[in-house]
Amino acid sequence: MRTTHMFIPTLREDPGEAEVISHRLMLRSGLIRKVAAGIYSYLPLGLRVIRKVEQIIREEMNRIGAQEVLLPALSPAELWKETERWDFYGKELIRLQDRHDRDFCLGPTHEEVVTDLFRREVRSYRQLPLTLYQIQTKFRDEIRPRFGLMRGREFIMKDAYSFDQNEEGSRKNYQSMYEAYHRIFTRTGLQFRAVEADTGLIGGTSSHEFMVLANTGEELIVFDPESSYAANVERAEVVSDMASHPVEPPQPLKKVSTPQAKTVMEVCSVLDTTPDRLVKTMLYRTPDNSLIAVLVRGDHQANEVKIQRHLNIHELTLADTESVQAATNAPTGFAGPIGLHGVKILADYAVGGLSNFIVGANEANMHYVNANRDRDFTIDAIGDFRQAQSGDPSPHSLAKLETARGIEVGHVFMLGTKYSEKMGATYLDSQGTEHFAVMGCYGIGVGRTVAAAIEQNHDDRGITWPIPIAPFHVHLLPVTHSESVQKVTQTLYAELQQANIEVLLDDRDERAGVKFNDADLIGAPYQVIIGDKGLAQGTIDLKERKSGEKTTVLPSELTKHLQEKIFKQGNIS
Ligand code: ATP
Ligand code: MG
């Protein structure tokens, strides 16, 4: 392609609205443009990258026998009511009505639609296993759409659904998807890690997320440096550490003054102690509008996903100031379990093991010291209600867990019969007995994968694309208008294309500096610089974008040279 024939609106300045590097670079290099919050247009360069990622996904899905379909984005409310997700999905589901006032939604995921297809069409065990996938636009009215394609309200997802006769078959399918995901993210040139994950709104029995490691990631993961164990902190199990503190003989309960001390650090400073001697009382509101209190140690964080799972609810919000005041008769910051009536109290394991600790006194500027459970207040349940953190013991070895940030690019779930039971998706076995199909579902965020790739592959001059997903392999940069430069450029342009190398020719009437800046920004893995000085010696310059390494080559050898680099090292099949 010639730059003059291609719509590549690059920006010199950093766009103010973009908080993360991938978003900034996608805007600056003319890959995307914003239409509204979380809604983007893909411009020619951006679409080329999207299509490359899609193609890798397609090849790997086809390789494991998944079949491509295209389900509608618009789906009728009835299907979602069957699984109760019409209510459960809440505000994230974009709902609309047709001219007959019938309810529809724009699909955020497609379990309902695909299960409906299955129950209508599949009868016999002979038709199983069946795995269908699609690459399609999804809609989710995210609370905080941000970071460009990373968290959009409209975004491209690959979603796949497997149907098997039994658990064993489903597990096998899950495993081959898991391996396909490994190949996909390896081929896209990403550094990633598969981690154990929570099953969230989709539900089901087991799940892994594929995380691209990046400091800007929204997800926090813990991993064991000595085993393969890694998990999302939402999910990471904290081994019961009830015995980690020595049991002390109970001391008399004492109310002490802690003026203005609301935060853990403030209380510790007033009482001259450490956060692990203090218990935080977090008040939450549940969907049935009742309040619950969750006790976690001062140096720990409550984990709302675990609390929700324990209570079997799907929403939990921190109680507002008025509710806290009404329940505790004190301003926020002084809540405690002693004398807290009519509120269910959950305590994290670590709190269960403490004695003589500090809690809020439900009175302004006051705390209790030497609080002890059972003697001073009653706990309704003890469990794993806190976030794993670095230094926690690994559940799989003697090592201590470490933390890292990640971007979730893919998610695989074993669903069991959750959807097939709700929607009556059955098949007949060889004896003619009816069974529910055992399902799995598997998603990849295509745009998010591209954004994650940029987070991992950039420098201060622009993007440094991995070869397999680069919009072009080579950027041809003639730096003058001299006849010899133009002649060599045209020859090479034709030759490279002949050799199936994707080449972008900067044929604009611009200064060399402008061309170099744009080429570095756009980030094709190789730049070929054709100038008079070099040609006087019969050579041109080849620059590898990522390393910045420059070599001098003969024009006649360029194509062969690049073929070697791109098709051999670039892992292109
Ligand atoms: P998140 O926790 O980030 O909201 P999710 O768990 O809701 O993700 P899934 O329902 O598992 O996501 O969707 C499958 C994949 O789709 C995710 O792994 C992610 O790559 C992508 N994805 C999900 N939500 C978005 C979004 N708002 N914008 C872009 N990609 C998304
Ligand atoms: Mg989500």
Side-chain angles (χ1 to χ4, degrees):
M1 288 292 269
R2 290 168 189 274
T3 307
T4 51
H5 294 178
M6 208 171 170
F7 179 47
I8 311 177
T10 55
L11 303 173
R12 270 197 202 137
E13 304 296 325
D14 262 343
E17 85 243 37
E19 296 166 68
V20 294
I21 192 78
S22 57
H23 188 195
R24 271 205 295 278
L25 287 174
M26 280 181 148
L27 291 168
R28 281 195 57 205
S29 61
L31 301 182
I32 57 169
R33 280 297 181 266
K34 179 170 159 180
V35 175
I39 303 176
Y40 288 85
S41 299
Y42 306 99
L43 307 189
L45 271 190
L47 192 59
R48 284 180 76 95
V49 179
I50 293 276
R51 292 284 182 254
K52 290 208 169 173
V53 173
E54 289 177 351
Q55 187 54 27
I56 292 173
I57 294 174
R58 237 178 220 115
E59 286 168 15
E60 296 301 338
M61 288 295 106
N62 295 345
R63 192 201 294 269
I64 59 166
Q67 300 175 64
E68 187 166 7
V69 292
L70 187 55
L71 305 172
L74 198 58
S75 62
E78 287 69 42
L79 293 179
W80 293 79
K81 287 181 180 159
E82 285 186 51
T83 60
E84 289 156 79
R85 286 209 294 185
W86 185 255
D87 294 323
F88 214 64
Y89 226 101
K91 290 195 168 151
E92 221 170 279
L93 192 65
I94 298 189
R95 298 150 206 264
L96 56 159
Q97 291 186 323
D98 71 5
R99 64 170 76 206
H100 308 294
D101 297 331
R102 288 189 198 113
D103 287 323
F104 285 80
C105 67
L106 291 171
T109 175
H110 276 67
E111 287 78 13
E112 281 77 1
V113 178
V114 79
T115 308
D116 178 56
L117 177 68
F118 180 94
R119 72 177 164 190
R120 287 167 192 273
E121 306 303 332
V122 177
R123 290 274 159 271
S124 156
Y125 71 97
R126 287 193 200 87
Q127 294 162 279
L128 299 179
L130 176 67
T131 303
L132 301 176
Y133 78 96
Q134 61 174 343
I135 298 176
Q136 187 211 34
T137 300
K138 296 282 187 276
F139 299 85
R140 294 182 183 181
D141 200 355
E142 299 274 356
I143 289 192
R144 290 185 68 199
R146 57 189 184 148
F147 302 160
L149 300 193
M150 205 85 95
R151 183 170 296 284
R153 294 196 293 167
E154 171 177 329
F155 59 96
I156 302 171
M157 194 203 286
K158 184 285 298 181
D159 46 328
Y161 306 88
S162 65
F163 298 87
D164 277 275
Q165 294 190 47
N166 48 37
E167 277 292 320
E168 193 195 336
S170 186
R171 194 164 291 281
K172 244 163 86 187
N173 234 325
Y174 183 86
Q175 186 59 26
S176 75
M177 266 300 166
Y178 183 90
E179 287 161 15
Y181 273 41
H182 265 270
R183 287 194 295 274
I184 290 167
F185 295 120
T186 304
R187 283 184 62 188
T188 44
L190 291 169
Q191 274 182 294
F192 65 95
R193 189 154 188 163
V195 307
E196 289 180 11
D198 187 62
T199 48
L201 271 182
I202 308 257
T205 48
S206 146
S207 111
H208 284 89
E209 284 164 344
F210 285 77
M211 295 283 191
V212 165
L213 304 177
N215 290 335
T216 48
E218 290 184 288
E219 308 288 337
L220 192 61
I221 64 176
V222 289
F223 63 94
D224 176 346
E226 285 172 22
S227 80
S228 62
Y229 178 75
N232 193 317
V233 284
E234 282 182 354
R235 157 85 191 190
E237 172 197 347
V238 179
V239 197
S240 163
D241 41 8
M242 275 175 63
S244 67
H245 269 251
V247 182
E248 300 164 5
Q251 304 290 323
L253 183 69
K254 220 165 63 184
K255 202 188 271 184
V256 294
S257 162
T258 50
Q260 304 304 326
K262 292 182 166 190
T263 65
V264 170
M265 288 327 289
E266 285 163 357
V267 176
C268 285
S269 141
V270 172
L271 298 178
D272 192 22
T273 187
T274 47
D276 61 342
R277 303 299 313 229
L278 198 138
V279 167
K280 292 189 277 195
T281 304
M282 318 284 295
L283 290 169
Y284 288 99
R285 196 164 286 289
T286 59
D288 67 1
N289 217 17
S290 55
L291 278 185
I292 59 154
V294 179
L295 309 183
V296 291
R297 225 167 65 186
D299 56 335
H300 292 156
Q301 301 300 323
N303 178 318
E304 289 163 17
V305 174
K306 290 180 180 176
I307 301 164
Q308 287 177 28
R309 213 184 305 138
H310 173 82
L311 297 171
N312 196 21
I313 55 175
H314 60 277
E315 215 176 282
L316 194 65
T317 41
L318 269 178
D320 56 24
T321 321
E322 288 88 68
S323 311
V324 173
Q325 226 141 15
T328 64
N329 289 318
T332 51
F334 300 97
I338 302 175
L340 189 65
H341 298 297
V343 177
K344 193 171 176 178
I345 298 178
L346 308 184
D348 179 59
Y349 282 134
V351 171
L354 274 187
S355 31
N356 299 324
F357 48 88
I358 299 159
V359 290
N362 297 324
E363 191 178 326
N365 301 322
M366 300 300 262
H367 278 78
Y368 280 116
V369 297
N370 297 331
N372 285 283
R373 72 176 170 107
D374 302 338
R375 183 191 71 179
D376 303 323
F377 63 93
T378 316
I379 289 169
D380 294 286
I382 294 190
D384 174 13
F385 299 126
R386 74 164 171 101
Q387 204 120 299
Q389 58 189 37
S390 64
D392 280 344
S394 162
H396 287 222
S397 80
L398 293 174
K400 296 208 176 310
L401 295 177
E402 294 178 18
T403 53
R405 293 226 148 253
I407 299 166
E408 177 202 323
V409 286
H411 204 162
V412 292
F413 294 86
M414 293 213 347
L415 293 172
T417 51
K418 178 179 165 179
Y419 290 89
S420 43
E421 283 190 36
K422 286 206 159 130
M423 298 185 69
T426 60
Y427 69 92
L428 298 177
D429 69 15
S430 56
Q431 315 297 310
T433 312
E434 196 171 18
H435 300 275
F436 290 114
V438 182
M439 292 174 58
C441 75
Y442 318 90
I444 292 180
V446 176
R448 192 183 283 184
T449 299
V450 173
I454 298 175
E455 291 290 328
Q456 278 190 344
N457 297 281
H458 69 269
D459 59 21
D460 54 6
R461 303 191 48 79
I463 305 173
T464 57
W465 289 110
I467 293 172
I469 61 170
F472 288 95
H473 300 137
V474 180
H475 211 144
L476 265 191
L477 304 165
V479 294
T480 70
H481 289 286
S482 75
E483 205 177 303
S484 53
V485 165
Q486 291 308 316
K487 198 166 151 233
V488 171
T489 300
Q490 293 310 328
T491 310
L492 289 177
Y493 183 51
E495 211 177 283
L496 290 168
Q497 283 179 314
Q498 274 275 307
N500 284 330
I501 291 173
E502 296 168 20
V503 49
L504 180 63
L505 165 58
D506 194 343
D507 58 343
R508 293 175 304 170
D509 191 11
E510 287 283 5
R511 283 182 296 114
V514 172
K515 291 188 179 185
F516 293 158
N517 283 343
D518 273 353
D520 280 352
L521 180 60
I522 288 168
Y526 296 99
Q527 295 172 11
V528 175
I529 301 133
I530 306 150
D532 293 304
K533 246 205 212 141
L535 285 185
Q537 315 290 320
T539 62
I540 54 177
D541 285 335
L542 175 63
K543 180 177 136 183
E544 197 181 83
R545 170 66 183 89
K546 197 166 196 134
S547 63
E549 202 179 300
K550 263 191 190 171
T551 44
T552 307
V553 294
L554 297 173
S556 57
E557 286 177 0
L558 179 76
T559 303
K560 202 173 115 246
H561 204 66
L562 282 175
Q563 269 179 319
E564 285 274 301
K565 287 183 181 285
I566 293 166
F567 299 118
K568 298 242 166 79
Q569 295 173 17
N571 191 18
I572 292 175
S573 51

